[in-house]
Amino acid sequence: MFRRVIIVAGVALWAAFCASSAAADVDAARTGSGQGADRGSIVLKAGKIYADPSRIIEGGEVLIEDGKIVAVGKEVTAPEGARVIDRPNGTVTAGLIDANSTAGFTRRTDRAEHEFECIAHLRVIDMIDLGHRAFERLASAGVTTVYVSADSASVIGAQGAVVQTGGPSDQRVVREAYGVKATIGREPIYKGSRSRTPRRRGTTYLTRRPTTRMGLVWVFRKSFHDAQTFARGSKPGSRGAGSPVDEAIPYLQAILRGDIPLRIQARAQLDILTAIRVTDEFGIPFVLEDATDANRCVDELRERKIPVIFGPLFDYPSGLRRGGGEANRYRYSTPSVLLNAGVTMALSANDLTGEAALPQQAMYAMRFGLTRRQALAAVTTTPAALLEIQDIAGSVAEGRPANLVVWSGEPFDVTTRADVVVIGGCIVKECPARSSAAGKKGTGGSGDQGIEGASDGWWKARLRGVSGDLDRL
Amino acid sequence: MSRQTGTIVAALVATWAAGFTPPVEGGDRPFAVRAKAYVDRDGSVVNGATLIVKDGKVSAIGSDVRVPAGCFVLDRPDATICPGFVDPHVTLGAMGRTGEAANSIETEADAAELFNRYHHDFDRAVRAGVTTVLLTPRSSHLVGGRTVAVKTAGETTLTRIVGPGPIKLSLAPAAFTTARPPTSLQGGLARLRGMIAAARADRNDEGAFAKWARGEAVAIVDTIEAAELGSLARLVADERVKCVALHGNYAAERLSDIKLTGQPVILGTYEFTDSLRFTRTPVILQREGVGFALTSNAPRYGPELLRIGAAIAMAQGLDAAAAHAALTTTPAEIIGVQDRVGSLEVGKDADFILMDGQSLDLTSRIIEVFVDGRRVYRADTREAGGTSRSPDGAAGRVN
């Protein structure tokens, strides 16, 4: 009856449903989590609290009330009836932030609007699915906040959004529209409705530029040139296909004024250098996304203080990265090269979720040169600063929304997983504590027992769900 | 040549269709139906039913209604009287394609132009107990156009059109192709927002879209996948427009989005092969206090699936009153024809069906269907053994 596509797409969640179909389970899940029950007081006790990368509290406690962090310290005064989660072997960090994610995109074909090549007036929040399973997978990996970046099919794409991966449904959207993404590289040329050579006279949106990198940069220049011309009060000479549509002009002007941050996705060295060159012409600061070849442009990036949201690190490029030769010269050492050269860098897992998400990126980065503090900064405070949400996310401090992760050991170690994830004061994942025999008190103890327990915990966490609505089924 | 052929074919179709037009009985003479029970407006079943029909309208209904002397009476001592079912989304009975291919936005397209009253699909709908349908443009357009509510039986085209229905929008993947703009959901929403702003600026615009944009009318919005419910909720919250989600398959998983729309949902079509994930939706919505109607999406699926869908939902725990509402009153309210159809009340159209058992029992048979007080369908009630339990056995008598 429903189209097969939908059913196939829903198979995974359906499996979880099967597991939860017994009424008792569902009721337990309903009363056990969601907006109500879990937003009471919670005390997290752990062997170590990374309040921020430079402030570590040994044997500390965090008190959460009404979705906010109320106290952080050696010992907090817990109110009566507070839920205590005690993980003497664990560590606490702020929820991780992925500043360049694709979570929530559900459709294969229409992730970007192809009518115009410059769609700075459109918003990603209008089309992403906040109930998408990618968010659940990210939350269970310890990523609590993501910037959903526009698709790379447009030269100048839509405005992204900052969203929570779980927690109370009325607090999921942190910023409806933040930043505009431009892409310099192969994808605006080949993705989506691929521009063709016009057969007859006249250019439509199917036959306009770009079909080459030259055409792409022409569109980029033309967009900002037209915006500048309008801002001066005059009209550009030509307004044919490839010119920015009227609705987009105010947003382009806001980018020129610096009111809307520009992000540019560029992978190959050539494209990164092109991005630097054309933005120099207009004097636009920008944040570099993806940046596979950033290690080959270190001097330029440092000189112009261009922050980089690097990633993902991968063994071998897959998906769209695989074609086009943009991502063939990847290096695991790039994050440490960038940081050691003084470039601001955040790590990103982009489209990778679950176990492949940010913690694994940080793990690889550490294996290839980053210290733990550097790695922690690259997935918490640095992305928070780049998204201008450093006042509400990225570190564990009083008064902030309670987005926290309790890790089973030192963060980003190979044997460490996210045991407890709290978003907006809701416990969205809780694995049972490993048995006390797992190791003596202190951090880093990761016994090899408890594998069974771990999988039980995982399923219970799944049952509780991440999105508020699912809980209530 | 082709015109000639067309004329001949049309003539043949007309002749053929006329041959199969259900017998029209009843006429303008008042008559009464006595039955075992009837389904009340709130979906409850009232024992002992007397229904009096006059001029095609319900003139009295109840368990203690007196039949005036001289009135013709149909005695159906085993039957249940149920209001005719209302299907809030069909392309049934349409002549040709139901979507303009060239543009994604067709505010002035009107499904009334597609209505072909001789279409044999209507016979099938009548047999399934469906007496009113909303004929809609297809979901391959961001703005598909105006819908029209029509009766599935009746004498003339004009009397069969109940009235214009809500405007039809679609946020479903089918509405977006790379071949014509807007090509994406985000582009579509931006386009809608722009059109809403323009329609609000022009107070003289009396078009269906403008009325919706000003909040004076509802729209039926195809939201077949989960992502679209979120987008719809965002549109409703930002623009304060009234939207009914169509095919809200994921409504139970996106309760906050659905509640935000503040409107009932159109669910379905449900089949026996559907997963629990979808068929549980009605009972969850009932528990959460969200109204819903069912659709058969005919002719893609048979109109019988309206009844079957209700039974499938009841198998998951939906109660009978809510199932009745989903087939009658709620869809009538969504379409905006609740003053005429959807329930058997004094003054409303005498559109009803007689079933030889309980109204929502799938083993019950629809034995007679009345539209505007005229009998438009009568089941062949000869049993395999050759005996007759025909309603005409006790055909009627004068009181």
Side-chain angles (χ1 to χ4, degrees), chain A residues 180-202:
Chain A
V180 163
K181 170 178 177 167
T183 305
I184 293 183
R186 165 179 203 279
E187 287 171 9
I189 302 169
Y190 290 98
K191 245 170 135 176
S193 59
R194 185 174 164 184
S195 298
R196 298 159 230 176
T197 311
R199 290 213 181 126
R200 301 195 189 88
R201 271 186 297 167

Side-chain angles (χ1 to χ4, degrees), chain A residues 431-447:
Chain A
C431 293
R434 297 183 182 200
S435 69
S436 54
K440 52 192 179 297
K441 182 162 175 151
T443 55
S446 56

Side-chain angles (χ1 to χ4, degrees), chain A residues 100-150:
Chain A
N100 178 23
S101 176
T102 60
F105 283 112
T106 53
R107 304 175 181 211
R108 264 179 243 156
T109 51
D110 63 349
R111 292 176 164 198
E113 174 62 40
H114 300 299
E115 186 179 6
F116 316 108
E117 207 53 67
C118 168
I119 53 170
H121 57 299
L122 302 185
R123 304 187 307 173
V124 157
I125 193 74
D126 278 345
M127 68 184 308
I128 59 171
D129 179 12
L130 291 177
H132 196 275
R133 231 178 90 69
F135 288 115
E136 205 176 324
R137 288 169 59 79
L138 284 167
S140 76
V143 181
T144 60
T145 309
V146 292
Y147 175 82
V148 185
S149 197

Side-chain angles (χ1 to χ4, degrees), chain A residues 1 6 107 114 126 176 205, chain B residues 228 231 234 250 271 301:
Chain A
M1 173 85 18
I6 302 170
R107 304 175 181 211
H114 300 299
D126 278 345
E176 280 196 332
Y205 76 97
Chain B
E228 291 121 37
S231 301
R234 193 160 281 284
Y250 294 87
E271 264 188 342
Y301 306 107

Side-chain angles (χ1 to χ4, degrees), chain B residues 240-257:
Chain B
R240 306 263 162 223
V241 286
K242 295 178 189 162
C243 296
V244 173
L246 168 67
H247 300 312
N249 298 341
Y250 294 87
E253 290 160 37
R254 300 290 192 278
L255 279 171
S256 52
D257 290 339

